[in-house]
C-alpha cells in the first residue's frame, strides 16, 4: 500500500505501525521520520498506546468469554 496524498501524520503513522505499507513506501517513510517531527510524534504515540493497551489488558472471565462466543455463533451471518 502507498501513503495517501498530502501530509497526514496520523494516518501515515497508523498505516506504518499496522504493517500496511509496501517495502519501498515503508523505507521512504522511515527516512521521512528522521525529518518530520509530526510523523515521528504520531509513530511514538502509536507505539506507546499499543504498549499501554497490552499492559492493561485483562483476560475476560471464562463465563463472559463463553457468553460472547455463544452470541456470536447464534448471530446470523452476512447475507
Amino acid at each position: 500500500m502507498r501513503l495517501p496524498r498530502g501530509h497526514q501524520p496520523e494516518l501515515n503513522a497508523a498505516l506504518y505501525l499496522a504493517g500496511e505499507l509496501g517495502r519501498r513506501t515503508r523505507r521512504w517513510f522511515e527516512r521521512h521520520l528522521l525529518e518530520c517531527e509530526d510523523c515521528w510524534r504520531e509513530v511514538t504515540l502509536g507505539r506507546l498506546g499499543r504498549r499501554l493497551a497490552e499492559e492493561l489488558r485483562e483476560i475476560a472471565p471464562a463465563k463472559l468469554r463463553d457468553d460472547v462466543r455463544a452470541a456470536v455463533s447464534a448471530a446470523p451471518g452476512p447475507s
Side-chain angles (χ1 to χ4, degrees):
M1 174 179 263
R2 301 181 64 112
L3 291 173
R5 289 182 178 246
H7 191 242
Q8 301 180 49
E10 261 185 63
L11 180 56
N12 295 348
L15 292 171
Y16 174 73
L17 291 170
E20 295 291 323
L21 302 178
R23 185 177 49 108
R24 290 179 68 191
T25 304
R26 185 184 72 245
R27 286 160 75 185
W28 176 88
F29 187 68
E30 288 170 344
R31 287 190 302 274
H32 173 74
L33 286 174
L34 298 174
E35 300 172 1
C36 180
E37 188 63 34
D38 292 337
C39 287
W40 178 260
R41 181 177 50 254
E42 289 301 327
V43 168
T44 301
L45 289 173
R47 286 181 174 153
L48 175 62
R50 285 179 179 206
R51 190 177 82 232
L52 290 173
E54 283 296 318
E55 289 173 4
L56 297 174
R57 183 179 71 155
E58 293 183 30
I59 302 299
K63 170 84 170 100
L64 177 59
R65 286 194 314 266
D66 293 342
D67 290 348
V68 169
R69 288 180 180 138
V72 169
S73 294
S79 53

